[in-house]
Amino acid sequence: MMARLKSWEGLLLATLLVIFTFNAWATPEFLTVGNQINLFQLSIEKIIMALVMTFVIINAEIDLSIGSMMGLAACAFGWMFIQGVPPGLCIVICLAIGLLGGALNGWLITSIGLPSLVVTLGTLIGFRGLARVMVEDRGINDFPDWFDALGQQGLLGPVPFALIAFVVLFVVLYIVLERSSFGRLTYVIGSNKDVAEYAGINTGRHKMVIFMASGLIAAFAGLLFAARVGAVRGDVGNGFELDVITIVLLGGVSIFGGKGTLVGTLLAILIVLNLRNGMGLLDITGHLQTGVIGILLIASVIIPRIRLGRRAEAA
Amino acid sequence: MLQKIAPQTLRIIALLAVLVLITLFFTTQIEGFLSGRLFNRISSSVAIMALVATGQTLVILTRNIDLSVGSVVGFVAFAAGSMITNHPDLSPAVLLAYSAALGAGFGLINGLLVAYARVPSIIVTLATMALFRSTLVEFSDGKSITTDNLPAWLTDFPNMVVFALGQMEFRAGFCASVLVVIVAHLAMTKLRAARQLYAVGSNPEAADLAGIDAARVVLVAFVLSGVMAGLAGFMFLARFGNITVVAGMGFELKSVASAVVGGVNIFGGSGSVIGAFLGAILVDLLETGLVRWAVVSEFWREAVLGTLILAAVATDTIISRRLTKARAERAQKEALASRVAK
């Protein structure tokens, strides 16, 4: 029990409790159901993508293209909608675009052998470019009512569709990562790819699946964004990759791969959301909030090292 | 024959060939593309990017990356602008030194965190990119810098013509930037201290065993990258005059793109400043060409840029893998032959 509390998750939980208590004490409207749902809803795309990014980073890779893929899917949806394609079909095609984009990343990384940092930096620019080609500098709105309603209104009581999707996805991915051989392989390949290969594991195929999942979920997030905001522009999802990666690393996932849990990511999500929401309620501007998150990111890497260093000295 | 030329030289020749091919292609497509105006436009914008790309190259050579350069350019442009607005009679040298020092300060923060706190550079600079930008927003207090408040010497500097070849004007900003690139290139190829960047990047353990203080080398690379971004911030202010809090956004990706297209290996250890400079020109030439090419909408330029980066890195990786393999085979054959001879 004590060991558990002293772990990174324990520290995150304690931090979360402090922020949560402070928010509840400082602003009376914080604890209302409306604000609690709003807190998730405002960043719902990022927190959904953070779940898959956890797999990507545990696998010792990175996907910088998710923000642009979000934009591409959202803009493709808007463009096809204007061309008169039925919305249901648009959604299917957009998700397929996500899979294809992820497959392109995966192919360049596994078959050509390029580093994921460079590949996804290239597709970050490329996907964003394609998104801009589709909508140019227009904004597209006037989506069907049911589509907007799905993004903006509660589906189960006050709980909107996107939040339900987040919870379902978390449960499914938790089971995959903790209880399935695919999850174990994600850790094994992430800690040492060469050893995994010598052990006869098809690391290329594994990475391919993860990158395709990352593209698919990013496209899904783009559609959620279009529904929530009720409009798309060329810059949908711009810069989201940074926030998503910050959340995942803050959750204790190692940038070198092989270490991390989805529970850690969930705690980091809650910390970041509560922090932003609390600062928002206290009228602290968005840019300053981003600065605070930036400091948190660096601290999240340095603090565990100091603790590890002490332990090493004690032993 | 090909084997006698050093791979880096070969790479620069290939880059020049690609530059010529792209220029020829757009010349056939766009009426009056190849003109003095084209040179003037590209040289003005490359003047800023070349500085950032040079700094980025030094950092990438040591197996790191600096994603905060865009925010540093923005901050320095704004800070230098407000400095000269408040003290109009400040001398140019002082303002330039102020810009470089600010940049060095930001680079020092990155470098200390990467080299001594040993946080991976992608995390540090991802965080400082956000942090420096939010510092700028706080610092600016919602105001912007406007050209009207800047002294004439500053805004005239980038457009001052040093000499002209026909319609091609070699402007002061571009000349200054090329001078920095040449000095940096000479230093990187001739100076013992600069070779340490390559040593640390190609094999940190070996460099350590050879008595190189790897942490200090990485720190210096980040400080220099900060200085370059600071100088680019100065140039940015001089060229555009009107500075808002979004100044320099996106420079981090473009500078990485320039370096990578210019043949700097993203895994560190190989690449040249001249290569990154040519990479910056290539990226700008393509952008300019695509904007004016009637066949595709100007919105294609980002999509093409992304493809270009991927193509450059893929070709580079495949070719260097082949070369390494061929060299290993040759060495094996020679070894066998010498054994037979004995």
Side-chain angles (χ1 to χ4, degrees):
Chain A
M1 184 66 196
M2 276 313 279
R4 178 122 210 161
L5 277 181
K6 276 185 184 164
S7 68
W8 184 248
E9 271 101 352
L11 194 65
L12 287 179
L13 189 62
T15 315
L16 177 63
L17 287 177
V18 170
I19 297 171
F20 191 85
T21 316
F22 177 81
N23 279 349
W25 170 77
T27 41
E29 61 265 46
F30 176 74
L31 279 178
T32 58
V33 176
N35 184 56
Q36 283 299 314
I37 287 180
N38 197 27
L39 170 152
F40 281 97
Q41 193 62 355
L42 281 179
S43 313
I44 195 75
E45 300 86 14
K46 290 177 191 168
I47 65 178
I48 285 181
M49 292 193 291
L51 298 178
V52 183
M53 185 64 87
T54 305
F55 280 75
V56 175
I57 302 184
I58 289 178
N59 210 234
E61 302 287 349
I62 197 135
D63 189 349
L64 298 175
S65 70
I66 51 169
S68 297
M69 177 47 81
M70 251 187 89
L72 177 56
C75 291
F77 179 80
W79 184 77
M80 285 189 286
F81 179 69
I82 283 190
Q83 311 297 315
V85 180
L89 185 62
C90 288
I91 293 178
V92 175
I93 296 176
C94 286
L95 294 177
I97 290 176
L99 276 177
L100 265 179
L104 174 68
N105 282 335
W107 176 72
L108 287 166
I109 292 161
T110 59
S111 298
I112 311 280
L114 300 178
S116 53
L117 182 68
V118 183
V119 168
T120 56
L121 195 65
T123 50
L124 175 150
I125 303 176
F127 293 163
R128 174 68 54 200
L130 287 178
R132 294 243 159 86
V133 168
M134 287 198 194
V135 301
E136 306 203 330
D137 38 17
R138 291 168 296 179
I140 299 173
N141 45 24
D142 292 330
F143 296 136
D145 289 339
W146 62 265
F147 185 72
D148 286 352
L150 206 57
Q152 293 154 12
Q153 289 162 18
L155 193 66
L156 279 180
V159 185
F161 166 73
L163 190 50
I164 299 172
F166 169 74
V167 173
V168 171
L169 195 64
F170 177 81
V171 172
V172 170
L173 290 181
Y174 181 83
I175 294 170
V176 170
L177 188 61
E178 300 283 330
R179 297 272 177 273
S180 79
S181 62
F182 187 88
R184 290 323 299 167
L185 287 185
T186 305
Y187 284 103
V188 171
I189 296 172
S191 20
N192 197 327
K193 182 164 165 275
D194 294 338
V195 167
E197 248 160 38
Y198 287 130
I201 298 166
N202 189 341
T203 58
R205 201 181 59 194
H206 191 91
K207 285 185 191 292
M208 191 66 163
V209 171
I210 288 183
F211 275 99
M212 285 176 77
S214 184
L216 175 68
I217 293 301
F220 177 63
L223 292 174
L224 286 179
F225 186 94
R228 178 165 70 86
V229 179
V232 300
R233 284 194 334 203
D235 63 352
V236 169
N238 203 0
F240 276 30
E241 61 280 350
L242 302 187
D243 284 8
V244 171
I245 294 168
T246 306
I247 288 176
V248 173
L249 296 178
L250 185 63
V253 177
S254 162
I255 190 85
F256 303 114
K259 276 196 218 79
T261 61
L262 269 174
V263 174
T265 301
L266 181 66
L267 286 170
I269 286 173
L270 293 172
I271 287 179
V272 169
L273 292 186
N274 277 288
L275 206 57
R276 274 197 189 269
N277 187 265
M279 287 194 284
L281 290 176
L282 291 172
D283 285 332
I284 297 173
T285 59
H287 278 284
L288 203 61
Q289 294 180 20
T290 313
V292 171
I293 309 279
I295 295 177
L296 266 185
L297 175 58
I298 297 180
S300 72
V301 182
I302 295 184
I303 293 172
R305 184 161 306 132
I306 296 171
R307 290 154 52 93
L308 277 179
R310 278 214 197 112
R311 205 167 298 161
E313 271 169 34
Chain B
M1 172 61 201
L2 271 179
Q3 278 139 3
K4 284 200 180 138
I5 306 172
Q8 279 304 328
T9 321
L10 208 60
R11 199 166 276 167
I12 286 170
I13 295 172
L15 267 173
L16 285 172
V18 173
L19 273 174
V20 171
L21 283 178
I22 291 178
T23 315
L24 282 179
F25 173 75
F26 281 124
T27 312
T28 62
Q29 297 291 320
I30 303 165
E31 209 176 317
F33 181 74
L34 193 62
S35 66
R37 283 221 339 268
L38 174 77
F39 176 83
N40 299 340
R41 182 181 302 170
I42 290 182
S43 66
S44 301
S45 96
V46 164
I48 300 172
M49 189 42 69
L51 296 173
V52 186
T54 302
Q56 187 69 262
T57 302
L58 303 185
V59 171
I60 295 181
L61 279 179
T62 65
R63 288 196 179 180
N64 287 296
I65 196 161
D66 189 348
L67 296 176
S68 72
V69 284
S71 299
V72 175
V73 169
F75 190 97
V76 172
F78 196 96
S82 69
M83 180 62 116
I84 197 77
T85 306
N86 296 332
H87 309 276
D89 36 335
L90 213 61
S91 87
V94 173
L95 191 66
L96 193 63
Y98 176 69
S99 305
L102 270 180
F106 287 124
L108 187 68
I109 297 176
N110 286 331
L112 286 175
L113 285 168
V114 174
Y116 293 98
R118 283 196 266 143
V119 183
S121 58
I122 181 162
I123 297 184
V124 168
T125 58
L126 210 57
T128 52
M129 172 169 103
L131 207 56
F132 297 164
R133 184 69 63 184
S134 42
T135 318
L136 167 58
V137 173
E138 280 306 298
F139 178 78
S140 72
D141 206 16
K143 296 190 193 70
S144 342
I145 303 290
T146 53
T147 316
D148 305 337
N149 297 329
L150 300 176
W153 65 262
L154 183 64
T155 45
D156 289 346
F157 163 69
N159 297 324
M160 197 171 70
V161 180
V162 178
F163 63 96
L165 287 176
Q167 270 188 313
M168 298 198 315
E169 295 170 353
F170 287 80
R171 296 176 180 167
F174 180 64
C175 291
S177 177
V178 168
L179 199 67
V180 172
V181 169
I182 292 174
V183 168
H185 185 78
L186 286 178
M188 291 306 287
T189 45
K190 306 285 178 217
L191 283 186
R192 188 189 169 86
R195 298 308 296 177
Q196 293 189 343
L197 289 170
Y198 287 94
V200 168
S202 41
N203 194 334
E205 287 86 22
D208 191 43
L209 291 175
I212 294 173
D213 185 348
R216 213 191 60 201
V217 171
V218 170
L219 178 70
V220 169
F222 272 99
V223 171
L224 286 175
S225 172
V227 170
M228 287 297 176
L231 293 179
F234 176 88
M235 297 276 280
F236 194 93
L237 171 70
R239 182 174 178 218
F240 294 107
N242 297 315
I243 308 292
T244 61
V245 292
V246 297
M249 262 189 186
F251 273 34
E252 55 285 337
L253 294 186
K254 233 176 139 184
S255 63
V256 173
S258 301
V260 167
V261 169
V264 179
N265 189 336
I266 196 81
F267 293 123
S270 83
S272 67
V273 172
I274 291 285
F277 176 67
L278 293 177
I281 295 179
L282 187 59
V283 167
D284 220 82
L285 178 71
L286 259 180
E287 281 198 316
T288 315
L290 285 170
V291 168
R292 292 177 56 193
W293 196 23
V295 178
V296 297
S297 100
E298 63 165 303
F299 294 94
W300 277 98
R301 65 171 190 268
E302 275 179 308
V304 171
L305 184 61
T307 316
L308 179 76
I309 296 172
L310 291 177
V313 185
T315 331
D316 210 54
T317 310
I318 293 169
I319 290 176
S320 63
R321 205 180 289 156
R322 289 257 168 86
L323 277 179
T324 320
K325 214 175 146 196
R327 207 169 294 158
E329 273 169 11
R330 207 168 57 231
Q332 201 180 8
K333 253 183 221 159
E334 276 164 16
L336 272 177
S338 70
R339 200 174 296 169
V340 169
K342 271 179 198 168

